[in-house]
């Protein structure tokens, strides 16, 4: 394994440990020692990659804006739904993503290094703007305004799912959110062809495994 | 002033001070001393009403479920919109409401004494169920599911407004959220008669001042 690849893996292992500790304890209570113990690396290795706890938090936040698993679709609105559903499917399984959300929600942590919400709003806005150009969205839809509401609602639904658990999982609740929102975003002919079902992430993964 | 009334006022002053301190510092960092200093009451008075910081947090949370200012309307959906818009209008001005939200969002505080989200979901669900009986809502709407999504989205929009400020204020953003959601909740004839404009809270107050 090349030295560069080893360094990359060490960096990721540290970030994953940081994500787990931030997710469990919150930013304030988290300590570098906990992160070191979990990542099983030396203090020297950690400080080679990250200068401080703040720097670790920034690293965790950077990895949280991801459209991994989203592949080109006939409709841009489908790609938007896919990005939202895939994130909802991954979040409960991935401490790093949960940590990023927790850091954004935490007022004190947020004051230190901001949030990645503007980036998420940017991703959604880009897809909505493209969808609009292609005639997929209703005339009244403003891509920036709608992107902001989508990211905000997604975040609220995640918080609620965590705080007031239901039988259903997060991807199920995000599916319901999209079923509520999309009829006032998509033109009917596109709406009828969108797949917003909770098992959409599973099917996307099966498709990509086959191709 | 009767002794009972004086006790009620002291209790409220303490809760308002607690709300301000929780809102500014977060639950963990807040101290009883800060709350005492701000409320300008003796330690004895505080401990007469509240046994601990947790107890103060519970008191703040209890006052946050309020439909104050909502008056009976022709449509139950209008009352739902009014409750949401009035809360959005008040929250930026009232530290106690902001503190209640912050306590709900804070994972650690939440583990200690829960949230008032189930109560808010109950309020919205009750209005939606009544609206459904009266034929105001579309056939596919499930009052509990929709109430949950409404409260979650409202919360997300508030968080986003605080974290990623825009030119517009919270009541403006909640107005946009309702304009996005209600077309897929209300039947068209009711939708056309709903007032979801950002200045709705001002007009409600003017109406109640005249009557």
């Amino acid at each position: 394994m090349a030295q560069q690849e080893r360094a990359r893996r060490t960096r990721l292992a540290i970030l994953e440990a940081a994500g787990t500790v931030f997710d469990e304890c919150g930013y304030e209570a988290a300590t570098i020692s906990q992160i070191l113990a979990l990542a099983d690396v030396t203090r020297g290795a950690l400080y080679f990659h990250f200068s401080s706890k703040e720097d670790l938090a920034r690293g965790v936040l950077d990895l949280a804006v991801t459209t991994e698993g989203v592949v080109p679709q006939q409709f841009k609105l489908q790609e938007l739904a896919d990005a939202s559903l895939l994130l909802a499917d991954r979040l409960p399984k991935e401490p790093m993503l949960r940590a990023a959300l927790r850091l954004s929600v935490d007022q004190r942590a947020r004051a230190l290094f901001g949030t990645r919400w503007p980036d998420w709003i940017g991703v959604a806005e880009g897809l909505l703007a493209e969808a609009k150009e292609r005639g997929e969205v209703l005339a009244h839809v403003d891509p920036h305004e709608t992107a902001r509401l989508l990211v905000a609602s997604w975040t609220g639904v995640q918080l609620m799912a965590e705080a007031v658990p239901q039988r259903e999982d997060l991807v199920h609740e995000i599916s319901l959110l999209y079923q509520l929102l999309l009829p006032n975003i998509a033109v009917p002919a596109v709406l009828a062809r969108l797949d917003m079902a909770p098992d959409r992430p599973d099917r996307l993964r099966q498709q990509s495994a086959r191709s």
Side-chain angles (χ1 to χ4, degrees), chain A:
Chain A
M1 184 161 60
Q3 200 175 344
Q4 212 179 346
E5 174 58 15
R6 205 158 45 221
R8 201 191 61 81
R9 288 199 193 178
T10 304
R11 189 175 186 280
L12 191 64
I14 296 168
L15 282 178
E16 275 173 356
T20 304
V21 174
F22 290 151
D23 177 42
E24 278 170 15
C25 312
Y27 177 74
E28 285 295 311
T31 65
I32 296 272
S33 304
Q34 283 172 294
I35 296 168
L36 279 175
L38 193 64
D40 197 18
V41 298
T42 63
R43 196 168 282 267
L46 188 143
Y47 281 106
F48 174 76
H49 290 283
F50 301 97
S51 62
S52 62
K53 190 164 84 166
E54 278 183 41
D55 204 21
L56 281 162
R58 280 199 198 89
V60 166
L61 284 164
D62 280 343
L63 289 181
V65 182
T66 168
T67 52
E68 201 184 305
V70 178
V71 287
Q73 302 289 330
Q74 186 187 358
F75 300 117
K76 285 289 152 187
L77 287 182
Q78 183 63 60
E79 294 177 25
L80 181 64
D82 287 351
S84 302
L85 290 166
L86 280 165
L87 194 68
D89 185 61
R90 287 176 56 191
L91 191 121
K93 305 170 198 161
E94 299 184 24
M96 189 129 61
L97 290 176
R98 279 204 307 280
L101 199 100
R102 188 167 177 183
L103 289 168
S104 297
V105 159
D106 180 315
Q107 214 157 320
R108 199 174 279 218
R110 197 164 70 209
L112 284 170
F113 30 70
T115 81
R116 303 313 304 271
W117 282 325
D119 305 87
W120 272 115
I121 295 169
V123 168
E125 184 176 351
L127 288 168
L128 281 165
E130 267 195 86
K132 187 153 196 178
E133 266 174 40
R134 294 172 179 216
E136 295 175 25
V137 307
L138 297 164
H140 69 275
V141 173
D142 173 280
H144 176 71
E145 209 169 68
T146 306
R148 198 171 148 88
L149 290 173
L150 282 176
V151 174
S153 310
W154 193 103
T155 305
V157 168
Q158 194 281 329
L159 264 177
M160 197 70 53
E162 199 180 85
V164 192
Q166 292 258 339
R167 216 179 36 242
E168 289 86 14
D169 51 13
L170 181 60
V171 69
H172 185 99
E173 303 226 30
I174 295 295
S175 166
L176 288 176
L177 177 70
Y178 267 71
Q179 288 170 48
L180 175 61
L181 298 174
L182 268 281
N184 197 17
I185 294 175
V187 298
V190 171
L191 181 66
R193 286 172 178 80
L194 293 180
D195 181 356
M196 301 179 275
D199 60 350
R200 172 78 182 161
D202 290 335
R203 275 178 286 118
L204 273 173
R205 272 189 297 265
Q206 281 160 17
Q207 279 168 25
S208 78
R210 273 200 301 273
S211 66

